[in-house]
Amino acid sequence: MIINTGGRTDTVQYYTEWLLNRFSEGYALSRNPLFPNKVVRYELTPDKVDCVVFCSKNYKPILSRLHEITERFNTYYHYTITAYGKDIEPGVPSIEESMETLIKLSELVGKQRVAWRYTPILLTKDYTVKCHLETFERIAKVLSPYIDRCIFGFVERYKKLKINMPELISLSEQDMNTLGQGFGSIAERYGIFIQTCATNRNFTSYGIHSSGCITLNILGKANDIDFKNLKHRGTRQECHCIESRDIGAYDTCMNGCKYCYANKKPQKAFDNYQYHDKTSPLLLGVEKPSDIIIQAVQKSLKKEEN
């Protein structure tokens, strides 16, 4: 099984102690967002977890203790660094600070385990196509020696995005093609393997590889693992990733990103933080007498040894 720590929230940045406690104790509980009384138990032990995938916009809080996980588990790291400032991503460090932290992460775990995510790409009067291309090159120039690949994707127009980001400008076909061509050219210039995320759009003519940012091929190469040849069903529309299980919770990320799909409203995450207990097996709250605990079926995706 692949365990994901950052699909629902920035666990690394805001819940570091909890995350380390869960791997130390060897299990975590995850409440079903649709059926709150149903709770899934995941064993967080090397024999049950093939790889731990992290996704964060700030790894600084965990760097000094990351070895507690890396010494026992196969790992892979997605680090999101975009063009946006505090007006769009209020809780995210500056580009300069983020790049410094990514370099430190890469030096700790190896560049083959670090992917730079430039996503989601959205347009406003301030964040134009020109702005994205200039910022992308600025970051690429610094990070190229420290990353396995770059992954980019376009914003999804969720219904709540119309409320949270009325200033959003729709991306046209021309905008996406211009960005794809520009990103491909910049990536080639700096020797960066570049691919898309969650799209069936074809940019191969620009030297950009197809979607699938959490695949068994990527994780296997990064950790020298032989995985089975399995179909990648994805986690959402146009996603081509291998299925993974997230131990986080929605409405808990305090980055406050205006485009966020995991929070109903930015303030809700701050309100929910009062229910966080770093010693609890659940990210939010504690077990209740009415909870139905379901043991997850955790099958290995590795090839069987002869």
Side-chain angles (χ1 to χ4, degrees):
M1 173 178 280
I2 309 300
I3 288 291
N4 191 324
T5 72
R8 296 175 176 176
T9 188
D10 198 331
T11 318
V12 166
Q13 179 167 196
Y14 297 108
Y15 304 98
T16 303
E17 287 286 339
W18 177 85
L19 187 64
L20 292 167
N21 286 341
R22 295 322 331 130
F23 280 99
S24 175
E25 293 187 29
Y27 79 102
L29 299 181
S30 178
R31 194 173 295 282
N32 188 311
L34 299 178
F35 305 97
N37 68 316
K38 292 185 178 180
V39 177
V40 180
R41 173 176 170 132
Y42 296 106
E43 304 303 321
L44 302 182
T45 53
D47 61 315
K48 295 293 185 181
V49 176
D50 295 321
C51 188
V52 182
V53 177
F54 296 84
C55 188
S56 176
K57 294 177 180 175
N58 184 10
Y59 281 85
K60 194 172 184 178
I62 203 172
L63 288 183
S64 65
R65 296 183 61 190
L66 191 57
H67 64 91
E68 295 177 24
I69 297 175
T70 59
E71 288 172 356
R72 300 173 56 220
F73 293 88
N74 298 307
T75 55
Y76 196 82
Y77 307 83
H78 287 172
Y79 204 135
T80 302
I81 307 176
T82 63
Y84 314 120
K86 299 293 183 181
D87 54 332
I88 303 293
E89 299 176 339
V92 179
S94 68
I95 293 174
E96 288 74 19
E97 184 178 348
S98 296
M99 289 193 294
E100 288 176 10
T101 303
L102 184 147
I103 291 170
K104 291 176 182 177
L105 173 67
S106 178
E107 290 172 343
L108 280 174
V109 303
K111 65 172 288 184
Q112 77 278 8
R113 293 189 178 92
V114 181
W116 162 38
R117 293 180 65 86
Y118 191 96
T119 182
I121 297 172
L122 55 83
L123 299 182
T124 69
K125 65 179 180 62
D126 296 317
Y127 298 103
T128 61
V129 170
K130 183 174 182 287
C131 171
H132 281 295
L133 291 173
E134 290 175 348
T135 308
F136 184 83
E137 178 155 22
R138 172 184 158 201
I139 300 172
K141 184 176 181 180
V142 175
L143 297 187
S144 59
Y146 303 100
I147 56 174
D148 171 54
R149 66 191 58 224
C150 174
I151 301 161
F152 76 93
F154 302 105
V155 70
E156 291 190 38
R157 304 279 307 228
Y158 296 98
K159 288 182 180 179
K160 58 188 172 185
L161 205 58
K162 294 179 181 179
I163 300 172
N164 295 339
M165 286 202 73
E167 71 271 32
L168 202 64
I169 298 172
S170 295
L171 279 152
S172 68
E173 290 291 323
Q174 182 60 51
D175 291 331
M176 288 185 274
N177 283 326
T178 300
L179 287 162
Q181 184 175 17
F183 282 15
S185 176
I186 294 166
E188 182 181 17
R189 192 176 308 142
Y190 294 103
I192 296 173
F193 181 100
I194 186 168
Q195 67 174 90
T196 52
C197 172
T199 181
N200 290 327
R201 192 174 297 277
N202 190 332
F203 290 113
T204 54
S205 61
Y206 304 136
I208 296 170
H209 300 264
S210 58
S211 291
C213 51
I214 303 177
T215 68
L216 295 181
N217 181 54
I218 293 172
L219 303 182
K221 285 184 176 179
N223 293 279
D224 196 22
I225 305 170
D226 286 328
F227 282 112
K228 299 174 182 176
N229 184 17
L230 300 172
K231 184 175 181 180
H232 290 45
R233 300 181 184 280
T235 57
R236 54 193 167 115
Q237 188 176 6
E238 296 190 10
C239 175
H240 303 279
C241 295
I242 191 68
E243 290 179 278
S244 59
R245 294 294 179 266
D246 200 307
I247 57 175
Y250 291 114
D251 293 313
T252 60
C253 184
M254 293 179 287
N255 279 330
C257 302
K258 294 180 74 173
Y259 54 76
C260 182
Y261 66 88
N263 287 346
K264 292 185 179 72
K265 295 180 180 178
Q267 184 57 40
K268 191 169 179 61
F270 291 90
D271 295 340
N272 280 339
Y273 191 75
Q274 64 182 307
Y275 303 112
H276 174 64
D277 178 352
K278 66 182 180 182
T279 65
S280 171
L282 287 156
L283 186 69
L284 281 188
V286 296
E287 297 170 70
K288 302 174 183 177
S290 58
D291 285 340
I292 301 171
I293 309 295
I294 303 167
Q295 181 67 51
V297 177
Q298 296 179 242
K299 294 182 178 180
S300 177
L301 307 182
K302 297 179 183 178
K303 285 184 180 178
E304 295 179 7
E305 296 181 4
N306 295 327

